[in-house]
Amino acid sequence: MKQRRIKKTVRKFSDLIERNKDRRAYSDYKEGINEGLEIAKDTFEDNVEKFLSTSTDEDPQTKIRSLQDRFNLIIDTIVVKEKPNYSQDHLDGIYEGFEKSKKIFENCIQEYYHSDSES
């Protein structure tokens, strides 16, 4: 059952990332935002077991805060290497995408734990 909820949460986070991608006309900044969101999505998928499978006796709000802090730390430690085809706008956009992903993660993880307490 827990494995199914984890997969559902990964899918939910992925869907939220896709819905939050910028669909406006091409710009380096916009493409950077979308790339930052994609990197964050991949990072969450690669680390989902660390986030959701640990069970502690903490209350849900404390657990949510702890998970949010852990996700933020992982995202904040990602270093994007400059590539010849990356403009400064593109790099700035990537980091803006990282910031957006933190808010998306917070919403997603709160929903995960609130639905857990209702079960």
Side-chain angles (χ1 to χ4, degrees), residues 5-106:
R5 284 195 62 227
I6 289 172
K7 287 181 181 180
K8 183 179 176 184
T9 302
V10 168
R11 192 169 38 253
K12 173 81 173 166
F13 185 70
S14 182
D15 290 346
L16 288 170
I17 290 288
E18 288 302 317
R19 278 191 248 139
N20 279 277
K21 285 186 176 177
D22 197 329
R23 308 276 187 232
R24 293 177 290 177
Y26 180 86
S27 77
D28 277 353
Y29 184 72
K30 178 200 75 113
E31 291 302 312
I33 290 173
N34 292 344
E35 186 173 345
L37 288 170
E38 194 65 32
I39 291 168
K41 179 182 82 163
D42 293 343
T43 299
F44 176 68
E45 289 173 359
D46 291 345
N47 294 287
V48 70
E49 293 296 326
K50 294 176 191 172
F51 287 111
L52 303 180
S53 66
T54 58
S55 61
T56 65
D57 295 332
E58 294 176 313
D59 69 280
Q61 283 308 114
T62 303
K63 184 68 173 172
I64 289 169
R65 184 79 257 146
S66 173
L67 291 170
Q68 184 68 49
D69 291 345
R70 197 174 325 162
F71 181 79
N72 291 354
L73 180 64
I74 289 172
I75 294 300
D76 288 343
T77 58
I78 295 173
V79 176
V80 180
K81 302 281 190 226
E82 276 193 54
K83 293 184 179 178
N85 58 336
Y86 281 4
S87 67
Q88 187 59 48
D89 280 347
H90 190 92
L91 290 170
D92 291 344
I94 289 173
Y95 289 104
E96 179 63 28
F98 289 167
E99 292 304 312
K100 284 179 78 172
S101 76
K102 292 176 185 179
K103 292 177 180 83
I104 294 167
F105 178 80
E106 181 176 17

